[in-house]
Tab-separated table of all heavy atoms in Angstrom:
chain	number	residue	atom	x	y	z
B	213	PRO	N	103.089	78.993	85.408
B	213	PRO	CA	102.382	77.705	85.443
B	213	PRO	C	101.189	77.697	86.386
B	213	PRO	O	100.119	77.184	86.048
B	213	PRO	CB	103.452	76.732	85.963
B	213	PRO	CG	104.749	77.325	85.554
B	213	PRO	CD	104.552	78.810	85.595
B	214	ARG	N	101.328	78.344	87.559
B	214	ARG	CA	100.213	78.318	88.505
B	214	ARG	C	99.021	79.092	87.959
B	214	ARG	O	97.858	78.732	88.186
B	214	ARG	CB	100.664	78.896	89.846
B	214	ARG	CG	99.798	78.396	90.972
B	214	ARG	CD	100.278	78.835	92.333
B	214	ARG	NE	101.450	78.103	92.781
B	214	ARG	CZ	102.032	78.300	93.960
B	214	ARG	NH1	101.574	79.240	94.774
B	214	ARG	NH2	103.062	77.589	94.337
B	215	ALA	N	99.321	80.204	87.243
B	215	ALA	CA	98.232	80.987	86.640
B	215	ALA	C	97.549	80.172	85.543
B	215	ALA	O	96.309	80.187	85.421
B	215	ALA	CB	98.800	82.290	86.070
B	216	ALA	N	98.352	79.432	84.764
B	216	ALA	CA	97.771	78.586	83.705
B	216	ALA	C	96.857	77.520	84.313
B	216	ALA	O	95.766	77.238	83.795
B	216	ALA	CB	98.908	77.941	82.894
B	217	GLU	N	97.323	76.945	85.424
B	217	GLU	CA	96.551	75.908	86.093
B	217	GLU	C	95.209	76.459	86.623
B	217	GLU	O	94.163	75.845	86.457
B	217	GLU	CB	97.392	75.396	87.261
B	217	GLU	CG	96.932	74.120	87.891
B	217	GLU	CD	97.790	73.790	89.124
B	217	GLU	OE1	98.989	74.174	89.152
B	217	GLU	OE2	97.250	73.181	90.051
B	218	LEU	N	95.288	77.646	87.238
B	218	LEU	CA	94.096	78.288	87.774
B	218	LEU	C	93.130	78.612	86.658
B	218	LEU	O	91.902	78.401	86.788
B	218	LEU	CB	94.557	79.572	88.461
B	218	LEU	CG	93.743	80.130	89.614
B	218	LEU	CD1	93.565	79.101	90.718
B	218	LEU	CD2	94.491	81.352	90.187
B	219	ALA	N	93.656	79.121	85.533
B	219	ALA	CA	92.795	79.450	84.386
B	219	ALA	C	92.075	78.192	83.904
B	219	ALA	O	90.875	78.225	83.611
B	219	ALA	CB	93.648	80.070	83.255
B	220	MET	N	92.819	77.079	83.855
B	220	MET	CA	92.223	75.828	83.392
B	220	MET	C	91.155	75.368	84.352
B	220	MET	O	90.032	75.007	83.935
B	220	MET	CB	93.322	74.767	83.263
B	220	MET	CG	92.818	73.455	82.754
B	220	MET	SD	94.154	72.333	82.287
B	220	MET	CE	94.769	71.852	83.881
B	221	ASN	N	91.458	75.386	85.667
B	221	ASN	CA	90.494	74.862	86.645
B	221	ASN	C	89.206	75.693	86.674
B	221	ASN	O	88.136	75.131	86.899
B	221	ASN	CB	91.133	74.839	88.042
B	221	ASN	CG	92.229	73.800	88.118
B	221	ASN	OD1	92.312	72.916	87.265
B	221	ASN	ND2	93.084	73.933	89.123
B	222	TYR	N	89.307	77.011	86.488
B	222	TYR	CA	88.128	77.840	86.570
B	222	TYR	C	87.621	78.296	85.194
B	222	TYR	O	86.732	79.115	85.091
B	222	TYR	CB	88.400	79.068	87.462
B	222	TYR	CG	88.530	78.667	88.911
B	222	TYR	CD1	89.793	78.370	89.441
B	222	TYR	CD2	87.424	78.533	89.712
B	222	TYR	CE1	89.920	77.981	90.753
B	222	TYR	CE2	87.526	78.146	91.042
B	222	TYR	CZ	88.785	77.858	91.558
B	222	TYR	OH	88.906	77.464	92.869
B	223	ARG	N	88.222	77.721	84.115
B	223	ARG	CA	87.787	78.022	82.756
B	223	ARG	C	87.752	79.519	82.484
B	223	ARG	O	86.790	80.072	81.948
B	223	ARG	CB	86.383	77.419	82.496
B	223	ARG	CG	86.318	75.911	82.721
B	223	ARG	CD	86.976	75.170	81.568
B	223	ARG	NE	87.893	74.130	82.084
B	223	ARG	CZ	88.583	73.297	81.299
B	223	ARG	NH1	88.435	73.361	79.983
B	223	ARG	NH2	89.409	72.437	81.792
B	224	VAL	N	88.823	80.211	82.906
B	224	VAL	CA	88.954	81.646	82.593
B	224	VAL	C	89.580	81.790	81.239
B	224	VAL	O	90.636	81.205	80.982
B	224	VAL	CB	89.848	82.351	83.641
B	224	VAL	CG1	90.032	83.822	83.295
B	224	VAL	CG2	89.259	82.196	85.060
B	225	GLU	N	88.966	82.558	80.352
B	225	GLU	CA	89.564	82.782	79.036
B	225	GLU	C	90.620	83.867	79.157
B	225	GLU	O	90.327	85.004	79.491
B	225	GLU	CB	88.463	83.167	78.031
B	225	GLU	CG	88.970	83.065	76.615
B	225	GLU	CD	87.831	83.063	75.614
B	225	GLU	OE1	87.095	82.058	75.558
B	225	GLU	OE2	87.655	84.097	74.929
B	226	VAL	N	91.872	83.465	78.898
B	226	VAL	CA	93.008	84.372	79.069
B	226	VAL	C	93.564	84.759	77.717
B	226	VAL	O	93.671	83.907	76.836
B	226	VAL	CB	94.126	83.679	79.902
B	226	VAL	CG1	95.368	84.562	79.985
B	226	VAL	CG2	93.609	83.305	81.283
B	227	GLU	N	93.900	86.040	77.538
B	227	GLU	CA	94.605	86.442	76.334
B	227	GLU	C	95.978	87.019	76.702
B	227	GLU	O	96.061	87.859	77.611
B	227	GLU	CB	93.799	87.458	75.508
B	227	GLU	CG	94.507	87.817	74.189
B	227	GLU	CD	93.626	88.572	73.193
B	227	GLU	OE1	92.448	88.810	73.487
B	227	GLU	OE2	94.125	88.855	72.088
B	228	ILE	N	97.034	86.519	76.062
B	228	ILE	CA	98.380	87.034	76.251
B	228	ILE	C	98.638	88.023	75.142
B	228	ILE	O	98.554	87.630	73.951
B	228	ILE	CB	99.432	85.901	76.119
B	228	ILE	CG1	99.061	84.689	76.965
B	228	ILE	CG2	100.825	86.433	76.406
B	228	ILE	CD1	99.350	84.827	78.394
B	229	LEU	N	98.956	89.261	75.489
B	229	LEU	CA	99.202	90.234	74.401
B	229	LEU	C	100.208	91.290	74.829
B	229	LEU	O	100.545	91.397	75.997
B	229	LEU	CB	97.900	90.823	73.874
B	229	LEU	CG	96.969	91.658	74.714
B	229	LEU	CD1	95.733	92.029	73.895
B	229	LEU	CD2	96.516	90.967	75.984
B	230	SER	N	100.692	92.071	73.867
B	230	SER	CA	101.771	93.031	74.141
B	230	SER	C	101.228	94.302	74.749
B	230	SER	O	100.186	94.826	74.346
B	230	SER	CB	102.485	93.351	72.841
B	230	SER	OG	103.290	94.508	73.001
B	231	SER	N	101.978	94.850	75.727
B	231	SER	CA	101.636	96.157	76.303
B	231	SER	C	101.865	97.267	75.310
B	231	SER	O	101.325	98.355	75.473
B	231	SER	CB	102.542	96.455	77.513
B	231	SER	OG	102.444	95.464	78.474
B	232	PHE	N	102.712	97.019	74.323
B	232	PHE	CA	103.248	98.134	73.549
B	232	PHE	C	102.665	98.206	72.135
B	232	PHE	O	102.963	99.150	71.391
B	232	PHE	CB	104.772	98.051	73.502
B	232	PHE	CG	105.383	97.949	74.874
B	232	PHE	CD1	106.021	96.791	75.293
B	232	PHE	CD2	105.277	99.017	75.768
B	232	PHE	CE1	106.559	96.690	76.576
B	232	PHE	CE2	105.823	98.944	77.033
B	232	PHE	CZ	106.469	97.761	77.446
B	233	THR	N	101.877	97.222	71.730
B	233	THR	CA	101.252	97.276	70.394
B	233	THR	C	99.754	97.080	70.571
B	233	THR	O	99.270	96.804	71.668
B	233	THR	CB	101.789	96.165	69.468
B	233	THR	OG1	101.269	94.922	69.922
B	233	THR	CG2	103.289	96.119	69.471
B	234	GLU	N	99.037	97.193	69.474
B	234	GLU	CA	97.600	96.987	69.526
B	234	GLU	C	97.202	95.667	68.875
B	234	GLU	O	96.018	95.384	68.638
B	234	GLU	CB	96.871	98.154	68.814
B	234	GLU	CG	97.105	99.516	69.456
B	234	GLU	CD	96.536	99.600	70.865
B	234	GLU	OE1	95.455	99.057	71.119
B	234	GLU	OE2	97.192	100.203	71.730
B	235	LYS	N	98.197	94.868	68.485
B	235	LYS	CA	97.924	93.598	67.773
B	235	LYS	C	97.224	92.586	68.667
B	235	LYS	O	97.462	92.573	69.877
B	235	LYS	CB	99.236	93.000	67.281
B	235	LYS	CG	99.824	93.704	66.054
B	235	LYS	CD	100.984	92.946	65.475
B	235	LYS	CE	102.242	93.166	66.281
B	235	LYS	NZ	103.440	92.592	65.636
B	236	PRO	N	96.356	91.726	68.083
B	236	PRO	CA	95.757	90.679	68.889
B	236	PRO	C	96.833	89.708	69.356
B	236	PRO	O	97.874	89.543	68.692
B	236	PRO	CB	94.784	89.991	67.926
B	236	PRO	CG	95.227	90.366	66.585
B	236	PRO	CD	95.908	91.683	66.679
Side-chain angles (χ1 to χ4, degrees):
Chain B
R214 203 175 284 182
E217 193 185 331
L218 207 56
M220 182 168 74
N221 291 343
Y222 291 92
R223 303 284 132 178
V224 177
E225 195 164 288
V226 175
E227 183 166 1
I228 311 282
L229 63 182
S230 165
S231 303
F232 306 112
T233 70
E234 298 296 322
K235 284 189 282 187

